[in-house]
Amino acid sequence: MVKVLCALHKRTYFQSFHDQFVINFDAYLDVLRHVKALVNQALGPDSLNWQMLNACPPCGYKQDNEDPIDPARLDSMDGNNSLNDDSACTENWKTANTISENTVSIFNQTGIFVSTCRHGIVQTLVEMRKSGKLAKYALATTNKILDVYGSNGTTGYDIGCSYGKTVAASSISSKASANHHRFLVNSFHGHAHNRQCQIQYHLLYQKGLGIEDLEMCEQIFSGSNAVVPVIRHASYFHWLQFIELHFDQWDLDKYSELSRFIYNNYKQALHIINEPSPAVDELKAQLGLTTADFEKWNAEELEYLQTLTIETEEDVEKMTYIEALESLASAE
């Protein structure tokens, strides 16, 4: 940016110009943070969990006497290692061993782990350090979601099928079970899972999910990748500062688009109901089927696939015969 400004004003670029710009920009942002803190203190949005509870009005606001819905809330979570701080000096510093591990770690931020509501507004953000998407980041995020949002929620995760087992074996197992929280596989990732997994965890076969795909995190990471060239070799302070700037703007943009987002989803849902439904109803009448039959077929398919995990006596005998033939061939 400083080089562009110098070119516009026909000035020769010097490194000192960049340094002065960075110092002043940091001071400007610091002033904004203090002003925002004072405004939030006066108006109340500085209380614990206020952002998570109020950032998205459609998710957080409930009318009086509103009928409960199931799931009560939809979330998505995932990790991304594009926003890392990768310095070639890191290994040399480790070898030298002249400073503490915490100091070295500022050169090795490995990414972020986020959770978001169904409308794409960020709920939580965890810094991943010296590791990939370890279970501890997802568990910490899930624990926070359970504490803030309560029962009957559903979270989409690209490994939601196996992650449910991880939660069941963790210290938050009883909390997740008591809150009846479900973990599913988001729509795009779900098609890469095996058929048995899809029937149990893919959004297509879940009640109450409608046209949701729970792929909001992929949209978030696609947007945040633009920040990578700025922060890849930045100091830890500037790494955090630019990520905060990006996601503050991201949430503002998503907030301003909420009405259009909901309106477009409503139109899409009406189209699905009004266009294919008559053809489906006609087909059901011709074949003598009911909606319950479709659900029954899914249950029967799942039952069949589960039996395939058990070897039959006939299969065992066939394998034994093949092994015997191979041994005979080797002996001859």
Side-chain angles (χ1 to χ4, degrees):
M1 179 183 290
V2 178
K3 289 183 178 180
V4 173
L5 291 174
C6 287
L8 290 174
H9 293 279
K10 299 180 181 181
R11 296 290 300 274
T12 302
Y13 171 79
F14 294 100
Q15 180 63 33
S16 60
F17 291 166
H18 172 270
D19 296 339
Q20 293 170 12
F21 179 85
V22 170
I23 293 171
N24 283 278
F25 186 61
D26 289 346
Y28 166 73
L29 293 178
D30 188 52
V31 170
L32 289 185
R33 280 192 291 268
H34 279 81
V35 171
K36 184 178 179 180
L38 292 173
V39 172
N40 289 342
Q41 185 178 2
L43 299 180
D46 62 338
S47 58
L48 183 65
N49 300 326
W50 189 96
Q51 178 72 15
M52 291 183 69
L53 291 170
N54 298 280
C56 181
C59 287
Y61 179 76
K62 293 183 179 180
Q63 295 181 340
D64 295 336
N65 302 320
E66 180 179 332
D67 293 333
I69 57 175
D70 187 23
R73 187 181 179 94
L74 294 175
D75 308 286
S76 177
M77 64 180 186
D78 201 0
N80 180 38
N81 60 3
S82 293
L83 296 180
N84 57 13
D85 183 1
D86 184 16
S87 172
C89 299
T90 305
E91 292 303 319
N92 294 336
W93 281 40
K94 288 180 180 178
T95 303
N97 198 28
T98 57
I99 56 176
S100 69
E101 181 179 352
N102 289 335
T103 306
V104 175
S105 69
I106 68 173
F107 294 97
N108 199 16
Q109 317 308 317
T110 54
I112 57 174
F113 194 96
V114 304
S115 72
T116 171
C117 74
R118 66 197 296 181
H119 303 105
I121 294 178
V122 177
Q123 298 173 162
T124 63
L125 188 150
V126 180
E127 171 193 339
M128 297 193 298
R129 303 187 67 172
K130 292 184 175 294
S131 66
K133 292 191 291 185
L134 298 181
K136 63 181 181 180
Y137 303 115
L139 289 172
T141 299
T142 300
N143 186 54
K144 185 67 174 179
I145 289 174
L146 292 172
D147 287 341
V148 175
Y149 298 129
S151 60
N152 298 321
T154 293
T155 298
Y157 190 19
D158 54 8
I159 54 169
C161 48
S162 60
Y163 178 66
K165 299 176 183 177
T166 302
V167 172
S170 71
S171 59
I172 63 172
S173 172
S174 57
K175 183 188 294 186
S177 177
N179 283 283
H180 307 290
H181 199 88
R182 289 192 297 162
F183 301 97
L184 302 177
V185 179
N186 23 27
S187 183
F188 176 76
H189 290 86
H191 291 292
H193 291 234
N194 63 56
R195 181 61 181 166
Q196 182 177 335
C197 174
Q198 289 185 34
I199 296 176
Q200 293 176 286
Y201 298 101
H202 197 282
L203 307 186
L204 185 63
Y205 305 102
Q206 306 298 320
K207 291 184 178 181
L209 272 293
I211 60 174
E212 297 293 339
D213 56 23
L214 298 186
E215 291 286 2
M216 296 81 71
C217 288
E218 299 307 316
Q219 301 173 27
I220 288 176
F221 297 146
S222 177
S224 65
N225 285 343
V227 188
V228 173
V230 180
I231 66 173
R232 178 55 58 87
H233 301 290
S235 66
Y236 182 50
F237 169 80
H238 288 108
W239 184 84
L240 289 174
Q241 180 169 267
F242 276 104
I243 289 178
E244 180 187 19
L245 283 173
H246 170 77
F247 284 112
D248 280 348
Q249 187 61 50
W250 173 274
D251 284 347
L252 287 173
D253 292 342
K254 287 298 177 182
Y255 183 88
S256 66
E257 297 170 0
L258 278 173
S259 297
R260 181 183 302 158
F261 178 87
I262 295 172
Y263 172 69
N264 288 336
N265 275 15
Y266 180 65
K267 287 195 344 183
Q268 183 182 357
L270 288 180
H271 173 77
I272 294 173
I273 293 172
N274 295 329
E275 295 295 327
S277 292
V280 173
D281 291 337
E282 182 180 353
L283 184 63
K284 286 163 62 177
Q286 291 177 358
L287 300 177
L289 300 174
T290 65
T291 302
D293 290 321
F294 297 118
E295 298 178 356
K296 178 184 176 183
W297 292 343
N298 287 338
E300 290 175 348
E301 183 181 4
L302 177 60
E303 183 180 358
Y304 169 73
L305 292 173
Q306 289 174 335
T307 60
L308 295 180
T309 60
I310 304 174
E311 288 184 324
T312 64
E313 185 177 345
E314 182 181 358
D315 290 337
V316 174
E317 290 177 353
K318 289 179 179 179
M319 291 302 301
T320 302
Y321 179 68
I322 292 174
E323 289 173 357
L325 291 176
E326 291 177 345
S327 299
L328 178 60
S330 299
E332 292 177 348

